[in-house]
Amino acid sequence: MSEQHVLFDPLLQDLSDRARDEVLAAFSAVQYAAHPVAEVQLPGLRDVTLRRHVARMLKLIGRTLVHVDGTHWTSGYADDIAATLTAQGWQPLSVVDRAVLILVLIHSVAIPRSEGILTGDSWRSARPTTVDELRTTRISSEERRLALQRLRAAGLIQLSGDHSGGPSYIPGPQLQRLTPAARRRLQDQLILAAAPASPIAEAIRARNGTWTKPADVATSSTTPTEHAADGRTGEGMA
């Protein structure tokens, strides 16, 4: 990280050597660790003053601190940076990869949440998505297999702990990097796709000022699988 010291030195120059090392260690952890980092493990996250330095360093590169479960930290794109990247058409995932990811999120998160089984705004889910639920007429088995491999490598999905019925998938740790605003937008889109006539979907439309009659929902909306195969649900996930 020595190349970045020139960028960060103005923020760190007044710190003691020890405090500087602690801030740099915390910065590296939230940026590069595969999973959110426990606050208790790093003084640079535990100490509020040092954590502000970490946040300022992240801001210089378009990132922000993301608090996870009240005790862990990671980093993600700042909302304004994500909006700019999305407006410019930046999308690191292919249409097929997005479709498979969306199906996992719909079956593991959106449907359980619309049914009241899953609460809160975490991506953690005890309801894994089976391979059968990932089958669509628009995505071949080979495309699906390769997409699952790429998504697992990227940390966007992971295998569930129960393999008794064959492989099944749950959201991966990289989704913890979404800011609260980005997480809420994506969750709303998924619920509207998965259960457009549910009470939660009605509440989302009311909050967003986009009321839709149940009859209109039933006749105009496509199925979650069709949304996913078209790669439409989840636009702007950057």
Side-chain angles (χ1 to χ4, degrees):
M1 202 169 65
S2 58
E3 305 86 2
Q4 297 179 348
H5 280 186
V6 174
L7 177 65
F8 297 140
D9 273 343
L11 295 178
L12 304 175
Q13 61 185 357
D14 294 333
L15 296 177
S16 67
D17 289 344
R18 179 176 179 178
R20 180 188 177 97
D21 289 344
E22 290 171 345
V23 168
L24 290 172
F27 173 87
S28 296
V30 297
Q31 267 290 86
Y32 304 117
H35 295 266
V37 183
E39 179 180 298
V40 69
Q41 293 179 343
L42 292 169
L45 295 175
R46 239 182 7 251
D47 183 279
V48 175
T49 301
L50 296 181
R51 193 165 65 234
R52 288 197 192 102
H53 282 81
V54 176
R56 290 172 185 142
M57 290 172 65
L58 289 168
K59 186 175 182 179
L60 289 176
I61 58 173
R63 309 282 285 178
T64 187
L65 274 174
V66 178
H67 209 183
V68 181
D69 296 336
T71 59
H72 291 69
W73 295 89
T74 186
S75 66
Y77 281 111
D79 291 323
D80 58 336
I81 300 299
T84 298
L85 291 172
T86 300
Q88 293 174 350
W90 183 76
Q91 176 53 260
L93 298 179
S94 69
V95 171
V96 172
D97 288 3
R98 293 204 303 275
V100 173
L101 173 60
I102 291 162
L103 284 171
V104 172
L105 296 181
I106 284 175
H107 287 286
S108 290
V109 178
I111 291 177
R113 181 167 283 123
S114 70
E115 296 172 344
I117 298 172
L118 186 65
T119 59
D121 64 352
S122 172
W123 291 105
R124 293 181 179 178
S125 174
R127 201 289 190 189
T129 301
T130 66
V131 172
D132 283 344
E133 290 171 326
L134 295 175
R135 291 196 172 98
T136 81
T137 57
R138 302 189 187 186
I139 302 175
S140 69
S141 59
E142 180 65 9
E143 286 178 318
R144 182 176 63 249
R145 183 183 68 82
L146 293 174
L148 289 169
Q149 287 182 353
R150 289 189 293 266
L151 292 170
R152 286 183 61 195
L156 291 168
I157 64 172
Q158 58 189 334
L159 284 168
S160 71
D162 181 9
H163 306 306
S164 57
S168 56
Y169 302 89
I170 56 176
Q174 287 299 307
L175 288 167
Q176 302 287 352
R177 293 186 181 275
L178 292 172
T179 64
R183 189 163 60 242
R184 183 172 59 251
R185 287 194 301 272
L186 178 55
Q187 288 170 342
D188 286 355
Q189 290 179 33
L190 292 171
I191 290 173
L192 290 171
S198 68
I200 294 180
E202 291 286 344
I204 291 170
R205 284 190 290 271
R207 188 178 68 232
N208 296 338
T210 54
W211 278 101
T212 305
K213 296 178 182 178
D216 295 335
V217 171
T219 57
S220 67
S221 64
T222 56
T223 66
T225 295
E226 288 170 334
H227 272 292
D230 287 343
R232 288 178 288 176
T233 305
E235 289 178 355
M237 284 178 59

